[in-house]
Structure formats: C-alpha cells, structure tokens
Amino acid sequence: MPDTELLLPVQEDPIAAIATPIGVGALAVVRISGAGAHRIADRVFRKQGGGEAALSASPGYTAHFGRLYDGDALVDEVVALVFRAPHSFTAEDMVEFTCHGGPVVVQQVLKLLLDHGCRLAGPGEFTRRAFLNGRIDLLQAEAIGDMIHARSESAWRTAVSQMKGELSEKLAALRESLLHSCALLELELDFSDEDVEFQGREELAMQVEALQQEVGRLVDSYRHGRIASEGVATVIAGRPNAGKSTLLNTLLGEERAIVSHMPGTTRDYIEECFIHDRTMFRLTDTAGLREAGGEVEHEGIRRSRMKMSEADLMLYLVDIGTSDLAGEVAEIRAVREAHPEARFIAVASKTDAVASADELIGKVREGSGAEVVGISALEGKGIEELKRRMVDLVRDLDKLHDASVLVTSLRHYEALRNAADALQNARELIARQADTELIAFELRSALDYVGELTGKVVNDEILNTIFARFCIGK
Ligand code: GDP
C-alpha cells in the first residue's frame, strides 16, 4: 500500500454519482465525495427523530438513519454512511446514501445532491481521486476496473491479486534497486573530473542482469495473464462454407458469455466468449480470409492473419465431404507450420452428410498428423467432445495457480518490454565499457518505464484512457 495515509489529501470539488446499476432493486447507493461533501449532506439530510448532530459533525464510519428532503418535500428514506478524510475510498470526505432501489428514486436523490452543490462525477472519477491522493497506485486502480469487468473466475482472481498490490510490491522492489544503481551512477557523473567509480562495473552488470531476468519473468507471464483475464484466444479457420460460422454459433450457444465492448482497448472486431469447464475461450471467426481484392477485403484479411498469429488455440475446419481432401490435408500442415505457437485441432465438419465419416477422418489424421475431431453441428454430434479436447489442450496455459504474479494488461506488458529493452541496452553498454552517462541514461529510462506502471511517472493521456473504462460512480 502506498504510504501517504499520513498526508492530508487534496480535496477537490464535490462530486456525486449513482454507484449501483440502474434498475429496480431493493437498495441503491448514491455517493458524494470532495471538499464540502458533508456540508452538502447536512443541507438535505434530516436524522430520524430530528435534532442531534449533523452529518458534518459525526465521526467517520458511522451510519445514520433519516430522510432526504428537498426543502420541505420528502425525497426518500435513507441510511447515510459518513467517511472522513483521509479514511475513505477517495481519501476525501465522503457520504454514501443507501436509498430505495427504483430508477426514479435514485435519479431524484442524485438530482437533489446536484441541486445542492455537487457536480456529476465523470467515469471512474472516484477511483481517479483515490489514485491521485495516493490511496491506491495505478495498478490497483486498474485492477478495480478489471474486477468489475471480470467475466470469469480466473479473471476475477488475477484482478484481486493485483488489487491487493502483489504486482505493485514486486515492481516497487524493482524500482528500488534501479534507483539505487541510478543514484550511484549519477553521483559518479557529479564527480566526473575525478574519475571515480562508486559501483564496480562487474557488480553493476550483475545487478542489471538480475533485474532483466525479473522483468523478463513478468513479461513472460503476460501470455498466462492475458489468458486468465481475457480468455484463450481461439481462432476458427477454414475454407469458405467449411461450417465456421455454424460452429461459432453452436459453441457460443448456451454458454455465451456476456461481452461488453471496452472502450480504451483497440479491439475493433467482434469477439465473443464462452466458458466451458471454467476455461474461458475468446472466439474469432476468420471470415475475412474468404474474400480477396478490394481495400476493405484486404484490411479484413490482414486482420484475420493477425488474429491467427495471436491465437492460443486454432480450430481448422474441414468439410469432411469435400472433393479436395488431399488439398485440405496439405493446408492443415501449412497452417500448423505457419503457427507453431498455437495449439491446434482439425475439426472435420458435417459428418452427417457423408456415409463413411470415420474412414475420412482417419485419412485426415494420418495425412496431416494433427488431432482431428469429427462434428456435426446439424445433429449436435461431437460438440461436447470438441469442447472437452479444447479444454484439455489449453489447460497448462491457464497456469494461474502456480504463478503468483501475472501481467494481464497490454499497457503493462508494453511498458515492461520497454524496460527490458533499456536494461538490455544498459548491459551492452557496460560490457563495452561505455561512458557512465550513457549507462545512466538507459537505467533511468528503465526506471521511467517501471514507474509508468504504478503511476509514479504518469501523464494525463494514460490516466484518461484508464479511467474511461470505468463507469460513472466508480
Ligand atoms: P462458413 O463459411 O465456414 O462460415 O460456413 P457456414 O457455417 O456458413 O456453413 C456453410 C454451409 O454448411 C451452410 O449452408 C450450413 O448450413 C452448412 N452446415 C454447417 N454445418 C453443418 C453440418 O454439421 N451439417 C450439414 N449437413 N451442414 C452444415
């Protein structure tokens, strides 16, 4: 946890937002935060039984039963929970009103608070304040967003680990040793006339190598982390009419996961997920591969190729009744060769339409050396087996339980890769006995990249992208 508990937070202008989903429910929460939040609450809240101390005079972590009034007009009966700076989520003065859970009631409560001096909060503004006040670091703020968006148990679990600060602790230790080396090198620069070395170059090289390994482990964890948080990237490939779309819909069928498009990510194609046996698969149909010519098609093909190269698992569909089985066998070999990283299943489709499916499947298996599963989407045959094989094949990729800290976001991955590159440059410079200044420069930039992750070094653009993913009220 950051150590700013003792510092008084900066209290910004009071904001208000509905913190619970819109809809009919037993209860809903409207929260306010910022300078003067307690005084605004006083203006609209009357304690049950009247009299007594106002909310602004109440200690933190106390709950008060009462009513909200707009002048003399009763708005709702609520429980007000008082938080005092810095002991609140935002580290500012806060009040959470638990009111009745009807959409109109909640809107009225919000309107009342806006009328009395609050401003409507932007997306993620509460969490942003928590970050700016040092209550949480950027990784933890992002983890809160990931947790809200988690669509599977493993995604939720990694987000919880990140929220607890496990990745932050690891990075803090990294930063610490980098800072130490940077400081010594910079001291040398200050004394450059005297030609002193505060840190032996051999020792420095060893330290940099150790750091590089540490960063490397985090970079490598991204594949597992991405799978844990976003699911196994699964590409369905094959010739036109092989039955790809039909399979996609069959797989998504009952187990279709709710997928929301997340603003701030660069996904501009549609992907859908399903969860089987606790493993989440993120499916992409390479429909774009079927067309050729024209700029739009080219773009589609380019993207499909890219998806294939990023696949963790590839399902290659072959219409088992095709007149060109030999051509398909050759294609399976070519695709496997081109994507050695991906796990692979050849799916023999439309087994209902041929008399001798088993024999033909045997031919494909022999000819291609690939695992082949026969299916008939029409009759619903082979689908369960296919799902079982999909899970078996990627089980080791979802190594969530042995890896303690995982990198799950592309932002973190890229920053860490940049840090690793800078460390590599530093090592090469040390080996070449280059100027201290050059080595210090590389170490300093590695330090900055690590700082970007936790938010020690941050710019508004990064913050805006991160918090745009949040809903209003978080
Ligand atoms: P895509 O071009 O690879 O996406 O193929 P589609 O999913 O659009 O399927 C092409 C055609 O094959 C359609 O007319 C489907 O109805 C048919 N089809 C798909 N799966 C099966 C199946 O299991 N059995 C039979 N008989 N036809 C199928």
Side-chain angles (χ1 to χ4, degrees):
M1 269 294 187
D3 47 6
T4 32
E5 269 275 292
L6 295 175
L7 297 176
L8 270 186
V10 177
Q11 297 223 40
E12 292 190 58
D13 64 319
I15 49 172
I18 300 165
T20 39
I22 300 298
V24 177
L27 299 169
V29 173
V30 180
R31 47 162 47 163
I32 59 177
S33 177
H38 291 161
R39 259 178 293 119
I40 292 174
D42 280 347
R43 279 184 221 143
V44 295
F45 180 80
R46 287 184 217 159
K47 245 183 156 172
Q48 190 73 348
E52 294 178 57
L55 293 180
S56 58
S58 307
Y61 302 137
T62 54
H64 308 263
F65 181 57
R67 289 176 167 177
L68 292 179
Y69 283 91
D70 188 2
D72 287 329
L74 175 65
V75 177
D76 195 17
E77 209 162 60
V78 299
V79 172
L81 202 51
V82 175
F83 300 86
R84 302 199 80 86
H87 303 289
S88 76
F89 176 62
T90 54
E92 299 179 326
D93 285 334
M94 284 184 79
V95 181
E96 285 182 9
F97 294 103
T98 304
C99 59
H100 289 107
V104 179
V105 183
V106 181
Q107 290 293 346
Q108 291 303 317
V109 172
L110 178 64
K111 182 173 173 296
L112 178 71
L113 294 163
L114 297 180
D115 286 348
H116 283 82
C118 287
R119 163 173 71 75
L120 183 65
E125 199 167 356
F126 290 87
T127 315
R128 188 182 186 128
R129 289 183 176 193
F131 162 67
L132 291 173
N133 276 323
R135 274 269 295 118
I136 51 175
D137 68 19
L138 203 52
L139 289 167
Q140 291 169 316
E142 285 174 288
I144 292 173
D146 289 345
M147 201 160 78
I148 296 171
H149 289 292
R151 290 168 279 165
S152 69
E153 198 181 314
S154 53
W156 164 75
R157 211 193 303 270
T158 28
V160 167
S161 144
Q162 192 171 314
M163 195 175 63
K164 275 199 323 208
E166 287 173 4
L167 182 54
S168 309
E169 276 167 27
K170 197 153 239 178
L171 291 170
L174 264 172
R175 251 182 82 81
E176 204 55 41
S177 20
L178 263 171
L179 263 175
H180 182 70
S181 299
C182 280
L184 288 178
L185 286 180
E186 276 158 16
L187 209 57
E188 277 180 31
L189 290 174
D190 289 344
F191 288 87
S192 55
D193 297 344
E194 296 164 36
D195 201 21
V196 283
E197 261 187 22
F198 287 93
Q199 191 174 29
R201 288 296 177 263
E202 238 168 72
E203 193 193 334
L204 180 63
M206 265 158 48
Q207 273 176 10
V208 172
E209 189 183 344
L211 286 171
Q212 204 184 2
Q213 280 173 0
E214 190 80 8
V215 173
R217 267 194 291 276
L218 287 173
V219 168
D220 290 344
S221 77
Y222 179 57
R223 187 171 190 201
H224 297 301
R226 182 179 51 71
I227 288 173
S229 71
E230 297 186 356
V232 178
T234 308
V235 163
I236 303 183
R239 289 184 183 172
N241 282 321
K244 297 185 293 296
S245 313
T246 310
L247 176 63
L248 184 84
N249 287 322
T250 310
L251 287 175
L252 290 173
E254 293 153 20
E255 291 170 299
R256 188 184 293 253
I258 300 159
V259 178
S260 58
H261 181 78
M262 293 183 194
T265 61
T266 53
R267 280 192 216 140
D268 47 3
Y269 33 79
I270 295 170
E271 291 179 323
E272 296 198 79
C273 298
F274 78 97
I275 297 171
H276 187 73
D277 198 8
R278 310 205 324 176
T279 305
M280 182 158 77
F281 294 90
R282 187 157 44 88
L283 297 174
T284 321
D285 174 8
T286 64
L289 274 184
R290 75 184 66 179
E291 287 110 350
E295 248 173 61
V296 176
E297 282 90 342
H298 265 110
E299 179 57 18
I301 290 171
R302 195 190 62 78
R303 247 183 261 158
S304 299
R305 294 237 163 91
M306 200 178 76
K307 292 311 295 177
M308 283 172 84
S309 65
E310 286 171 358
D312 299 310
L313 173 66
M314 199 177 287
L315 306 179
Y316 185 88
L317 258 73
V318 177
D319 178 346
I320 200 65
T322 176
S323 56
D324 180 26
L325 206 57
E328 285 284 43
V329 166
E331 182 66 19
I332 291 174
R333 289 181 150 187
V335 170
R336 283 185 79 191
E337 234 163 74
H339 304 283
E341 283 278 299
R343 312 287 153 99
F344 189 92
I345 302 178
V347 181
S349 68
K350 311 189 196 180
T351 52
D352 58 278
V354 291
S356 50
D358 286 346
E359 196 185 311
L360 293 166
I361 287 172
K363 273 190 187 165
V364 177
R365 192 175 289 133
E366 246 169 62
S368 67
E371 160 159 13
V372 189
V373 177
I375 62 157
S376 162
L378 192 73
E379 296 178 346
K381 281 190 186 146
I383 302 294
E384 279 310 307
E385 194 200 337
L386 176 60
K387 286 185 191 169
R388 204 166 42 242
R389 289 303 301 146
M390 288 168 70
V391 170
D392 286 350
L393 217 54
V394 300
R395 204 176 282 284
D396 65 308
L397 289 179
D398 192 5
K399 267 191 201 145
L400 199 54
H401 308 290
D402 352 329
S404 59
V405 177
L406 293 174
V407 171
T408 55
S409 104
L410 187 60
R411 184 182 85 82
H412 305 165
Y413 171 72
E414 283 177 346
L416 285 166
R417 273 237 322 244
N418 289 335
D421 288 349
L423 288 171
Q424 176 62 26
N425 294 344
R427 264 183 75 187
E428 285 166 12
L429 290 168
I430 296 168
R432 277 199 276 125
Q433 300 182 331
D435 281 352
T436 307
E437 210 161 323
L438 297 177
I439 303 170
F441 174 81
E442 292 297 342
L443 290 186
R444 186 48 69 187
S445 67
L447 190 62
D448 285 348
Y449 286 124
V450 175
E452 260 181 30
L453 286 179
T454 51
K456 290 258 188 236
V457 181
V458 86
N459 62 44
D460 269 354
E461 200 185 327
I462 296 180
L463 287 188
N464 291 341
T465 317
I466 289 172
F467 290 106
R469 282 184 57 211
F470 283 68
C471 40
I472 289 173
K474 190 62 224 173

